Amino acid sequence: QVQLVESGGGLVQAGGSLRLSCAASGRTFSSYAMGWFRQAPGKEREFVAAISRRGINTYYADSVKGRFTISRDNAKNTVSLQMNSLKPEDTAVYYCAAALKPVITTGYDYWGQGTQVTVSS
């Protein structure tokens, strides 16, 4: 298995930027496709972005395309989410997730505890 710990969340004004990071334990990080999800209070968890095992392919929800960028560094066992041009509707708890199969929005086996992102108007 793998343990995931998110960091980098905080409070930012609309139009600003944040960079989230996810640190993974274990020696097999490169075996996992990685994803970012988010959940606002009272709402369902939603897919944000995903990246394949070697970082060759990336996928984004329509709501964040052109604004967010997912990346990974397998040598450091980390995956990041660069968030630019933030909007109030981006406010949510952001979760890092890992999947053994190169899926996009489903099939994630392990989850971090989440980090809060708040975007003010």
Side-chain angles (χ1 to χ4, degrees):
Q1 64 174 340
V2 60
Q3 290 185 317
L4 307 171
V5 180
E6 303 95 336
S7 63
L11 175 64
V12 65
Q13 291 184 332
S17 299
L18 282 175
R19 185 176 180 86
L20 306 183
S21 295
C22 174
S25 66
R27 306 177 187 275
T28 58
F29 178 69
S30 62
S31 297
Y32 294 87
M34 302 296 297
W36 285 97
F37 292 76
R38 65 188 183 187
Q39 186 170 25
K43 296 185 178 180
E44 192 75 14
R45 181 183 64 194
E46 65 175 344
F47 168 78
V48 175
I51 189 166
S52 60
R53 290 170 295 172
R54 283 171 280 276
I56 298 173
N57 300 306
T58 57
Y59 310 88
Y60 299 94
D62 289 341
S63 59
V64 306
K65 285 181 180 178
R67 300 189 298 122
F68 291 9
T69 302
I70 188 172
S71 61
R72 69 189 297 162
D73 186 340
N74 287 351
K76 296 181 178 180
N77 281 14
T78 58
V79 61
S80 299
L81 185 69
Q82 179 66 44
M83 309 164 68
N84 298 328
S85 301
L86 283 163
K87 305 174 181 179
E89 50 262 47
D90 294 319
T91 295
V93 176
Y94 283 71
Y95 297 92
C96 177
L100 283 172
K101 295 189 296 183
V103 296
I104 301 174
T105 63
T106 62
Y108 290 86
D109 306 297
Y110 303 100
W111 299 81
Q113 294 184 5
T115 185
Q116 177 70 47
V117 172
T118 302
V119 184
S120 62
S121 301

